[in-house]
Amino acid sequence: MKLNAILVEDEEQSRTILKNYLTKYCPKVNILGEASNINEGLELIRKLDLDLVFLDVEMPYGNAFDLLDKVGDRNFETIFVTAYNHYAMDALNAHASYYLMKPIDIDELIKAVDYVAEIKTKEEALQDQVLIPKTNSVEGKITIPQQDGFEVLNTKDILYCKADDNYTQIFLNNNKKKLVSKTLKYFEDILSESGFARVHKSYLINVAEVVKYVKGKGGSVILSNGKEIMVSASKKSGLLSYFK
């Protein structure tokens, strides 16, 4: 599995070394950003869906523990990377997954990343059991993970889903949208029996929200909110079968 991660470290040289090691020896780590202080780190954490944060302890505007206090409840793991061994107990109390000393030992870095990957794999297996609607006792509901638990959505409130690399954007009829770390194929599989049709490699739509079909090689559909979505030629017959 891929681990979405950021590096929070005030020394540019240390960030560069860690990034190079991760790129070369830990391909499962996907580095989404870097921060040089806790304010920048907090901004990235609030903006991104993360699995792992590499943290130096001593930084401008506070230390790593101040950052974690500001975050509060979190669904990512932390690996401390520091030149000071006297923070080990504090890191343990902050539920750190691993404590690496500088200069970084590559074998220890690999071990730390593998340990976090194992934790996240187990979490994802449990999360998948929650996410699959067929395991829900309430019909017409789907659950999506959040940092502090999960949110329950009515499938009828979903207008369409859009692929975003390995993520999916879910657009709702209240003009809100949700970003979920699941592929569009995942949602196609679990929503296909609830009146959703894949009309394009990037789009899955709620057929009940279609108000117009525009002819063409594949054509396009217009949804109840006015959104026009192109239909792939290969998906056209499957879509039109809903309206026969």
Side-chain angles (χ1 to χ4, degrees):
M1 68 175 299
K2 280 286 187 181
L3 296 171
N4 290 330
I6 62 170
L7 317 182
V8 185
E9 160 71 66
D10 65 315
E11 296 180 2
E12 184 177 357
Q13 183 178 7
S14 295
R15 288 201 310 274
T16 300
I17 291 172
L18 177 56
K19 183 165 64 173
N20 289 342
Y21 281 175
L22 289 170
T23 301
K24 185 173 182 178
Y25 300 107
C26 304
K28 65 185 65 174
V29 176
N30 181 29
I31 302 172
L32 298 183
E34 301 176 34
S36 61
N37 57 62
I38 69 169
N39 292 337
E40 292 176 0
L42 186 62
E43 183 178 351
L44 287 177
I45 288 169
R46 288 174 172 168
K47 181 173 67 173
L48 302 172
D49 186 10
L50 298 172
D51 301 303
L52 174 60
V53 174
F54 290 89
L55 272 176
D56 188 14
V57 177
E58 296 188 350
M59 291 176 288
Y61 312 117
N63 60 32
F65 306 108
D66 297 324
L67 171 60
L68 294 177
D69 285 342
K70 290 183 178 182
V71 171
D73 292 335
R74 58 186 190 268
N75 64 350
F76 57 83
E77 301 299 318
T78 54
I79 293 178
F80 279 76
V81 186
T82 178
Y84 306 99
N85 59 16
H86 57 271
Y87 289 113
M89 184 57 69
D90 291 329
L92 181 64
N93 291 335
H95 306 290
S97 297
Y98 220 92
Y99 193 89
L100 292 174
M101 292 292 298
K102 296 177 183 177
I104 297 171
D105 180 273
I106 294 172
D107 289 337
E108 280 297 305
L109 177 62
I110 295 171
K111 187 187 298 185
V113 169
D114 286 345
Y115 180 69
V116 170
E118 184 179 352
I119 293 173
K120 300 304 289 187
T121 297
K122 290 177 180 177
E123 286 181 357
E124 191 167 282
L126 290 174
Q127 180 175 281
D128 283 345
Q129 293 177 18
V130 175
L131 276 174
I132 299 172
K134 293 178 182 177
T135 66
N136 266 330
S137 59
V138 182
E139 188 176 352
K141 304 283 187 180
I142 185 173
T143 52
I144 59 174
Q146 292 188 325
Q147 192 166 357
D148 57 352
F150 60 86
E151 181 178 359
V152 181
L153 300 180
N154 291 312
T155 55
K156 64 181 179 61
D157 292 336
I158 300 173
L159 291 173
Y160 65 96
C161 302
K162 180 182 179 182
D164 187 357
D165 291 328
N166 289 323
Y167 293 81
T168 297
Q169 296 183 59
I170 300 177
F171 292 80
L172 305 173
N173 58 17
N174 58 2
N175 293 322
K176 292 184 178 181
K177 67 179 179 180
K178 310 287 182 180
L179 182 64
V180 185
S181 57
K182 293 289 180 183
T183 63
L184 189 62
K185 179 62 167 61
Y186 175 86
F187 284 101
E188 179 184 9
D189 290 342
I190 64 176
L191 290 172
S192 60
E193 295 180 5
S194 300
F196 284 74
R198 184 78 171 263
V199 296
H200 187 277
K201 67 178 182 179
S202 299
Y203 288 95
L204 176 72
I205 66 167
N206 184 346
V207 177
E209 296 294 330
V210 174
V211 297
K212 184 177 181 179
Y213 172 75
V214 181
K215 290 182 178 180
K217 183 177 181 180
S220 63
V221 290
I222 298 176
L223 303 182
S224 59
N225 68 340
K227 171 71 175 179
E228 183 173 9
I229 294 174
M230 300 304 295
V231 178
S232 298
S234 61
K235 303 291 185 182
K236 179 177 178 178
S237 60
L239 170 67
L240 295 182
S241 67
Y242 282 91
F243 300 97
K244 289 181 178 179

